[in-house]
Amino acid sequence: MKKVVFISSFPPRRCGIATFTSDLIRNTAAAANEQFEPLVVSMRSDEQKYEDPVKFEIHEDVKSDYICAADYINFSHVDLISVQHEFGLFGGEAGNYLGLLLNRLKAPVITTLHTVLDEPTPAYYKSMLELCEASYKVITMNKRGIEMLQDIYDVPVSKIKLIPHGIPDLPFVDSNYYKHKFGLENRRTILTFGLLSKNKGIETMLKAMPEIIKSEPSVMYIVLGMTHPNVLKLEGESYRFSLQQMIKDLAIEDNVIFYNRFVNDDELHNFLCAADIYVTPYQQEKQLTSGTLSFAVGTGKAVISTPYWAAQELLADGRGKLVQFGNEVQMANEITHILKNNSSFYSLRRKAYDYGRSRTWPRIGHAYWRLFNAKRLPVRLASKSPLSPSKMISNIQVPEPSLYHLKKITDDTGLYQHAKFTIPNRQEGYCTDDNARGVIAMSRYYAQYPNPEALELLDKYLSFIIHSQNKDGTVRNFMNFDRTWWKNEPRNDAFGRMLWAFGTVMASPPSPSYLSILKDCFDQSVELVQKQMPKGMAYSIIGMCNYLKHFPGASEIKRQLELAADGLVIQYNENKYPDWQWFEDALTYDNGILPHALFVAGMTCDNKHYLEIAEKTCEFLIENTYNSKHFSFVGCNGWYVRGQKRASFDQQPIDAASTVMMLRAAYDATNNEKYLTLQRKAFDWFLGRNDLRIPLYDFRTKGCYDALMHNGVNLNQGAESMLSFLISLLSIVESYSISHTTKNEQNISLNKNLIAEITKKKTKPVITQTSNQAAKSKPKQV
């Protein structure tokens, strides 16, 4: 019995690779005669519910999921791993999170490449090299792939295996027999199917239709398939609507049908059998595989296509017709000729069908089974990277990030400030501070878990803080339950948190449409940063650094950033003493934000002086809040004024959160793993590693208590505490595998000279630059 793990997308996810993997497993099982046990580690998208054989799910952008998946596979005693690889399927730059998984596996890896790039950027080049090095065999689906792997990536030919894309084993049939199923009797039919997106080139075919109709009025063009899920997320159905408008403009409504849905195999087979001609008018040459084209060839369709790579090989030797990209005249001429010339029509069909017999799914299943069932599979040694301090010291498992309590304390206006236990306290209303925290939390949550509920909450919180902004760039903070703003409100930090929130979304927008709106809002207020108190400037600094991640050439933002960072340096110089390395004469609330801001400013501006002060003040804060066992944050009942006794209670979640984020920034700036160890210990304060050994996080309600008091916890679970916990948790999830990534990179044979070496090859990688926190018992602000 061979136990094989498949790392791939999988139904009910609707994508070509999911369908491919399902077909591959079914046909390999048939070839194996009950000697094959498949397990699927599925790349999760949205909120699908999986059934057997899916055993484990990975969130695309969550690093820790990849490491946990590796551990799950290693403990499952599998014989080998089959990876279905497409760069966009996996998280990280150029899908490099997959390496976190593969480099920890103990069983051999066989990778099927669905894409091979001929002009990779350095990141994609490196990602492909690591993937091939981690693989015992790499499978490509056509001959061009073999040449590219050898010439561009130096993959030994002994490691490469050619196995074509499988196609359904359907009989050679008369299309007229199936047309009645769709009410198309006496019509000539042309079919295109697949997930709809702009690169499919449907416009070319629509423009060709008027001339085709003149020659054959009965013709019907069927466009089968739902809009690609990624396109739906970003653009909705705008592309499909534009095509429908084009149909009206061309007056071809009676000759074009759109079937906007994802069809199962039986439905697809019926459509294929009913088609006379199959068309793929794709717009890009560099497509190495096409499942839809393979299906059409295998069922003996007369095929007309643009000359992308897969089509060039599949349609060679008279198995189909190739037309120029975007040439509707040539497309119309070829289709008209085939419709009028029966000998050409049946010649194309017979040649295609005969060629497809060698690629039917039963044959492909046998080919994979022979490879999986090889008697001497190599023994693979996982990367021997030592455990980092963060992995060895902290063994408390983190909870799954949950939106349950957050949704409970949110209404159509935004986040309620406070709660009585878990019940929203309407009397206290709302504040910009909390809604800005909500934006930060939901932006980071959505980047890791693309949940539509998170996006809905993000939009609500963004709407609140945009509404809080005055025309002169100032910000209102407190709003009553009746949606009226406070008059003469106390001084607060809402301004800085607003900029932080805007910048967070700008650095990783859910869609491009957010950018123009938030850039205008940010620019409207940025000149007021210098009027803020130190913490307000710190929040603003983080926002500006995030702004510059997307717009690195923004000179005014750079100037304002340096002025604000210089302001914190002045604060430090005016208040420091040999025994007091701090920006103010007291440690109060949200202390970690100040070193945090200088860390990110130092990295953004490449300023060593900022980094030196950030590290000194970070170490000072650790000395005064960490007792070598756990963190004990400065209490709000008296704070810690220089020369006076330090208050032990009430400790607030906001200080744990700011410390978690500060320590992550410290690691990013110094690469010192002790900061990752301390970051996890700071987070463990929420889980009971604190002065009272009481968890602040409520595992039942999914909320967080407002404070750690001398006699227990404050049982209220307001917005600030909930968001402090959630932001901290998301930071820990992001940091979980950093040290493993660093160690594994050291074990890859890619050295500093490799990028230089590839420039000597016939095909050179193209180098591109990309820009790429409330209870009444504690004061809300100071």
Side-chain angles (χ1 to χ4, degrees):
M1 177 72 69
K2 286 286 183 179
K3 198 171 185 180
V4 181
V5 168
F6 292 81
I7 302 174
S8 175
S9 57
F10 202 75
R13 182 168 175 173
R14 295 173 173 180
C15 75
I17 294 181
T19 302
F20 178 92
T21 307
S22 177
D23 290 338
L24 175 59
I25 290 175
R26 183 171 61 253
N27 286 278
T28 304
N33 292 322
E34 300 182 352
Q35 296 302 307
F36 170 68
E37 180 183 353
L39 296 79
V40 174
V41 172
S42 181
M43 303 306 301
R44 181 170 182 169
S45 176
D46 298 327
E47 293 299 317
Q48 285 104 351
K49 293 183 179 180
Y50 293 96
E51 298 179 356
D52 194 67
V54 174
K55 304 297 183 181
F56 196 94
E57 301 167 27
I58 296 176
H59 294 87
E60 175 185 329
D61 294 312
V62 182
K63 281 185 174 182
S64 59
D65 279 10
Y66 292 84
I67 295 174
C68 291
D71 293 341
Y72 177 87
I73 294 170
N74 287 336
F75 285 118
S76 296
H77 310 292
V78 304
D79 294 293
L80 59 89
I81 295 95
S82 172
V83 177
Q84 302 304 315
H85 184 266
E86 169 68 59
F87 290 104
L89 201 59
F90 305 101
E93 186 178 19
N96 65 0
Y97 285 3
L98 179 61
L100 296 169
L101 194 168
L102 299 184
N103 289 320
R104 295 171 64 86
L105 294 176
K106 298 177 181 179
V109 176
I110 297 174
T111 298
T112 302
L113 300 174
H114 292 258
T115 295
V116 181
L117 302 177
D118 70 330
E119 294 183 338
T121 65
Y124 281 89
Y125 182 79
K126 179 181 178 182
S127 182
M128 180 62 83
L129 285 182
E130 294 178 355
L131 175 65
C132 292
E133 183 165 336
S135 302
Y136 153 63
K137 293 286 187 182
V138 289
I139 298 171
T140 183
M141 300 187 190
N142 58 31
K143 295 175 182 178
R144 182 187 289 269
I146 297 176
E147 297 171 359
M148 292 168 65
L149 288 170
Q150 291 180 275
D151 295 344
I152 303 172
Y153 300 98
D154 281 335
V155 181
V157 66
S158 60
K159 180 177 276 196
I160 306 172
K161 182 76 174 178
L162 174 62
I163 303 180
H165 195 298
I167 58 177
D169 189 9
L170 297 176
F172 189 85
V173 297
D174 182 352
S175 59
N176 291 313
Y177 178 80
Y178 285 84
K179 289 178 181 179
H180 77 279
K181 294 177 178 287
F182 306 102
L184 296 173
E185 300 93 334
N186 302 317
R187 304 291 295 262
R188 302 304 301 270
T189 50
I190 305 170
L191 175 67
T192 294
F193 81 89
L195 297 174
L196 194 64
S197 61
K198 291 181 179 178
N199 64 357
K200 300 296 185 182
I202 305 300
E203 298 93 333
T204 301
M205 185 60 201
L206 294 181
K207 291 176 184 178
M209 282 298 292
E211 287 299 316
I212 299 171
I213 294 169
K214 286 181 183 178
S215 174
E216 179 55 70
S218 72
V219 72
M220 178 64 74
Y221 179 40
I222 303 168
V223 182
L224 174 63
M226 62 179 287
T227 302
H228 196 289
N230 292 341
V231 175
L232 277 176
K233 284 183 181 179
L234 295 175
E235 304 174 11
E237 290 286 11
S238 60
Y239 178 56
R240 185 181 296 272
F241 291 155
S242 72
L243 295 177
Q244 292 171 338
Q245 185 60 51
M246 179 181 288
I247 291 169
K248 292 180 181 178
D249 294 342
L250 295 170
I252 55 175
E253 297 100 319
D254 294 337
N255 299 88
V256 181
I257 298 176
F258 279 89
Y259 283 88
N260 184 12
R261 59 194 181 91
F262 190 88
V263 295
N264 60 35
D265 285 350
D266 289 340
E267 291 175 306
L268 176 57
H269 297 166
N270 285 333
F271 274 104
L272 278 169
C273 290
D276 295 315
I277 296 175
Y278 185 78
V279 177
T280 55
Y282 298 171
Q283 294 179 336
Q284 298 176 1
E285 180 187 35
K286 298 177 180 181
Q287 182 169 335
L288 196 60
T289 63
S290 173
T292 62
L293 183 62
S294 298
F295 285 14
V297 169
T299 52
K301 298 293 103 177
V303 181
I304 301 174
S305 176
T306 51
Y308 55 95
W309 292 341
Q312 291 177 32
E313 183 168 321
L314 279 169
L315 303 183
D317 301 326
R319 293 188 292 269
K321 295 291 185 178
L322 297 177
V323 301
Q324 296 173 359
F325 293 102
N327 193 326
E328 64 269 17
V329 175
Q330 193 177 7
M331 180 73 76
N333 289 339
E334 289 289 355
I335 291 176
T336 299
H337 174 74
I338 293 172
L339 289 175
K340 294 298 184 181
N341 191 321
N342 281 339
S343 63
S344 177
F345 174 70
Y346 284 108
S347 175
L348 289 172
R349 290 199 61 195
R350 174 56 64 186
K351 289 179 180 179
Y353 187 79
D354 289 346
Y355 181 74
R357 295 311 85 207
S358 65
R359 297 165 172 254
T360 61
W361 265 119
R363 289 179 176 266
I364 300 306
H366 277 282
Y368 271 89
W369 175 239
R370 286 193 295 270
L371 190 57
F372 293 166
N373 199 38
K375 293 183 178 180
R376 293 186 177 181
L377 288 172
V379 176
R380 188 174 188 274
L381 298 178
S383 296
K384 296 292 187 178
S385 58
L387 289 176
S388 67
S390 58
K391 182 68 175 176
M392 290 187 292
I393 294 175
S394 184
N395 294 315
I396 301 176
Q397 296 299 308
V398 298
E400 181 78 11
S402 173
L403 302 181
Y404 177 78
H405 184 67
L406 201 59
K407 291 189 294 182
K408 193 171 185 179
I409 58 175
T410 300
D411 67 3
D412 290 340
T413 302
L415 265 168
Y416 291 104
Q417 282 192 82
H418 299 296
K420 296 178 179 179
F421 185 42
T422 62
I423 302 171
N425 187 346
R426 299 185 180 187
Q427 185 176 352
E428 299 294 333
Y430 320 87
C431 71
T432 302
D433 269 328
D434 287 336
N435 281 275
R437 292 187 187 98
V439 169
I440 295 166
M442 289 304 96
S443 181
R444 296 178 67 172
Y445 185 102
Y446 188 77
Q448 298 184 54
Y449 309 90
N451 183 333
E453 290 183 336
L455 192 59
E456 182 180 350
L457 291 173
L458 173 64
D459 288 348
K460 285 183 180 180
Y461 305 153
L462 264 177
S463 177
F464 188 100
I465 65 173
I466 291 173
H467 179 58
S468 75
Q469 188 179 35
N470 297 311
K471 292 182 179 180
D472 62 359
T474 58
V475 178
R476 296 165 289 191
N477 190 28
F478 296 107
M479 177 185 280
N480 297 307
F481 178 67
D482 63 2
R483 297 190 178 183
T484 58
W485 293 103
W486 282 24
K487 296 180 180 180
N488 303 318
E489 62 184 15
R491 192 161 189 169
N492 56 74
D493 294 323
F495 177 93
R497 287 200 176 97
M498 177 191 73
L499 290 188
W500 184 3
F502 287 158
T504 300
V505 180
M506 291 175 68
S508 182
S511 72
S513 58
Y514 286 77
L515 282 173
S516 61
I517 299 171
L518 299 185
K519 180 184 178 298
D520 289 344
C521 292
F522 201 109
D523 294 348
Q524 186 176 336
S525 294
V526 71
E527 292 185 356
L528 303 178
V529 169
Q530 311 313 318
K531 297 182 180 181
Q532 306 306 307
M533 296 292 285
K535 290 189 176 71
M537 284 199 291
Y539 303 133
S540 302
I541 286 170
I542 300 172
M544 289 186 283
C545 291
N546 283 327
Y547 185 113
L548 290 168
K549 289 180 180 178
H550 203 95
F551 300 109
S555 301
E556 178 60 23
I557 302 300
K558 290 180 181 178
R559 286 192 289 269
Q560 294 293 339
L561 170 59
E562 291 176 346
L563 286 171
D566 289 343
L568 291 187
V569 171
I570 293 171
Q571 280 287 129
Y572 168 75
N573 288 329
E574 290 178 348
N575 289 278
K576 70 174 182 177
Y577 290 88
D579 64 343
W580 190 263
Q581 297 291 308
W582 197 242
F583 304 88
E584 300 167 314
D585 62 357
L587 290 172
T588 56
Y589 71 99
D590 208 4
N591 296 300
I593 198 66
L594 296 168
H596 178 186
L598 278 186
F599 275 126
V600 297
M603 289 184 285
T604 301
C605 302
D606 194 21
N607 188 308
K608 294 182 179 180
H609 190 46
Y610 296 164
L611 294 174
E612 290 170 358
I613 295 174
E615 192 164 7
K616 287 180 181 179
T617 53
C618 173
E619 291 292 340
F620 174 78
L621 186 59
I622 293 170
E623 291 172 7
N624 285 277
T625 56
Y626 181 63
N627 62 13
S628 79
K629 295 181 180 178
H630 63 263
F631 275 87
S632 176
F633 299 109
V634 175
C636 68
N637 291 332
W639 305 122
Y640 181 21
V641 180
R642 178 175 175 267
Q644 298 183 20
K645 184 179 179 180
R646 175 186 179 279
S648 298
F649 299 100
D650 298 348
Q651 297 176 33
Q652 303 177 68
I654 188 175
D655 283 295
S658 67
T659 302
V660 166
M661 289 184 284
M662 173 193 74
L663 291 166
R664 169 60 191 271
Y667 173 80
D668 290 339
T670 68
N671 206 34
N672 188 336
E673 285 199 346
K674 83 168 186 178
Y675 292 124
L676 287 185
T677 303
L678 290 170
Q679 186 200 29
R680 178 57 201 260
K681 286 184 170 289
F683 175 76
D684 289 348
W685 180 88
F686 287 103
L687 304 182
R689 293 284 180 88
N690 52 49
D691 289 337
L692 300 185
R693 312 294 291 179
I694 298 176
L696 275 290
Y697 177 67
D698 188 334
F699 286 84
R700 182 177 63 85
T701 68
K702 313 300 183 185
C704 181
Y705 297 122
D706 280 349
L708 186 70
M709 307 168 70
H710 72 282
N711 59 348
V713 295
N714 183 319
L715 293 177
N716 295 328
Q717 299 179 14
E720 180 184 289
S721 54
M722 178 66 236
L723 291 166
S724 295
F725 171 79
L726 185 55
I727 292 172
S728 299
L729 175 56
L730 294 169
S731 296
I732 290 296
V733 171
E734 291 170 354
S735 299
Y736 180 79
S737 59
I738 288 177
S739 56
H740 299 285
T741 307
T742 303
K743 297 294 183 182
N744 285 333
E745 286 177 347
Q746 295 170 357
N747 294 327
I748 298 297
S749 64
L750 185 73
N751 56 51
K752 293 181 180 179
N753 297 322
L754 189 53
I755 297 300
E757 290 175 7
I758 61 177
T759 61
K760 301 176 183 178
K761 297 181 179 293
K762 291 183 291 185
T763 305
K764 300 179 181 179
V766 175
I767 299 176
T768 59
Q769 291 182 336
T770 57
S771 51
N772 257 329
Q773 303 183 51
K776 285 187 174 182
S777 65
K778 66 184 194 306
K780 188 76 172 182
Q781 307 291 342
V782 172

